Amino acid sequence: MPLRAEQLEAHLRKALAPLYVIHGDEPLLALEAADAVRAAARARGFAEREVFIAERGFDWSELAHAGASRSLFGGAKIIELRLPTGRPGAEGGATLLAHCARLDAEVLTLVSLPRLDRATLASAWYTALAGAGVVIEVLPVERARLPEWIGARLARQGQRASGVVLEFLADRVEGNLLAAHQEVQKLALLAPPGELALEAVEDAVAAVARYAPYAAAEALVAGDLARYQRVLEGLRGEGEAPTFVLFAVSSALFVLRGIAAGKPAERLFGEHRLFNKSLQRAVQVAARRHPRAVLDAALAQAAFIDRVAKGVARGDAWDQFTALGLKLAGGSKA
């Protein structure tokens, strides 16, 4: 049974499944989900805990033995399996299939995995896990949802903030959810309960945002020039190579150009290796905003940035990214 991370708490209040699978690329949310499952299990008498980390050379018979044996103290126990690579191999896959076939009410299994690709999600061992237990996929909090996420965290500690304050906080911690969590906790210590003033938040919160090239592309196609420029400056300050940014931006532009020509978006995502889900959604929303002629001009600008980055043409690649944003925004149908 699939669950969103925010649904897990309500689920655990009602029931406890024999198997939980947590996968995704947001460490904070994965950690919190695992903590919630452990706490619910302990509250129901699961006193013993065994942890296995399936790295190179792992003996899968240990997991099989743990699943077949009872707790040393005669009670219920938790078995945790952490699979950092997300690939158990043939022996591990067979062990997981067998484990799913003999789940025991006295043994709770918690499997932690990284973000999984499509092939792995279709594998026999993962299908068995998903069919036998509860699956929680933890995804990064998109920028558009970040103020709401911060607001919910503040509410847990008896604080609230206006939309302006939440946007300010989101700008400071974008792309770094663990830091966002820490900054919210800091506000609980430095500011009283109730409404948070912008001045107090400005004094308390550090600039800890981390940006990814796909964030720049997402802001670009959305026509959010202020965020686009902020992300560019952050990437430049972090030493990101312009070529990586250009790949993300160009992929989005090529897909937009293809959609404008009448081609299906899903096929274009594959052709141009645009697999970032947040950027895919931004592209689909923006598909009608940019005329074909403007997209052609933007792609020509991207080609010029490529020559600049390679030293074939003169100029500063980061300045040219700014020019690209202005060019695309100036010709949009917003």
Side-chain angles (χ1 to χ4, degrees), residues 139-193:
L139 300 172
V141 178
E142 298 175 6
R143 175 58 181 80
R145 290 183 52 239
L146 190 53
E148 178 187 356
W149 185 89
I150 294 171
R153 295 281 165 143
L154 289 172
R156 292 183 188 178
Q157 57 197 40
Q159 295 175 316
R160 60 185 182 275
S162 67
V164 171
V165 172
L166 293 176
E167 284 292 341
F168 170 81
L169 284 166
D171 286 343
R172 306 290 276 190
V173 300
E174 180 180 354
N176 193 349
L177 205 61
L178 179 58
H181 172 66
Q182 292 169 340
E183 294 299 324
V184 169
Q185 289 183 314
K186 186 197 299 183
L187 287 170
L189 298 173
L190 299 179

Side-chain angles (χ1 to χ4, degrees), residues 234-253:
L235 290 168
R236 186 176 192 173
E238 293 168 7
E240 185 66 80
T243 50
F244 291 135
V245 182
L246 183 61
F247 174 79
V249 168
S250 297
S251 296
L253 291 174

Side-chain angles (χ1 to χ4, degrees), residues 38-58:
R38 290 188 205 102
R42 284 194 299 269
R44 289 171 170 84
F46 287 75
E48 188 179 339
R49 177 180 171 216
E50 293 184 65
V51 180
F52 301 98
I53 303 176
E55 297 177 313
R56 183 186 294 273
F58 176 66

